[in-house]
Amino acid sequence: MNLMLLSCLFGFLIVNAKLKHVGGGLISGVVVGAKSRNPAIRVLGAEPKGADDAAQSKACGRLITLSHTNTIADGLRASLGDITWPIVRDLVDDIITVDDEEILEAMRYNYEVLKVAVEPSAAIGLAAVLSDNSKKNSRWNCSQNIGIVISGGNVDLGALWELFSRITRT
């Protein structure tokens, strides 16, 4: 990923807040790289409501560790770590939380429109952009150029169809 290109083209960059067993490594690396190239870029994290320790931590100003998580985005069930928390706290502008249904809709969009099969954790950035939380917040919806990091395609297609059958088409 060319962060110089991303930081020049986009006013906002949406990144999932955590990856399995890493606890904030992806967003920490992206935010440090993007803001070193373009300090004005806004970097937002995306996180499932059922595993929202990063959002809670940002709101409280201290590291929160959840005793239980409940989300289809299994790659985002890990907690932020002692190394990544200060980076997320100081450099990530905000965290958008979405529910599992929004993640499933974003997976469907990725597959049907973009022709990319992604795991739930990878679809969360798009889910955040399409969410009501994002659309209704003037701090987040003012940019015409939004970049989304989509990382992770480990999905069983049989499981994908089963997930899609859980939601109805609108």
Side-chain angles (χ1 to χ4, degrees), residues 28-82:
S28 294
V30 169
V31 73
V32 167
K35 290 206 177 211
S36 70
R37 294 288 185 175
N38 178 2
I41 194 170
R42 304 269 325 261
V43 177
L44 305 176
E47 189 170 51
K49 289 179 181 176
D52 65 345
D53 65 299
Q56 288 186 42
S57 296
K58 287 282 287 180
C60 292
R62 63 179 175 82
L63 183 59
I64 302 290
T65 303
L66 303 176
S67 61
H68 176 73
T69 59
N70 183 19
T71 179
I72 61 167
D74 61 338
L76 300 177
R77 291 180 186 155
S79 294
L80 291 174
D82 293 334

Side-chain angles (χ1 to χ4, degrees), residues 107-125:
M107 286 178 70
R108 180 191 302 269
Y109 185 90
N110 270 291
Y111 188 75
E112 290 180 351
V113 177
L114 302 177
K115 307 300 183 206
V116 177
V118 298
E119 63 189 75
S121 301
I124 198 160

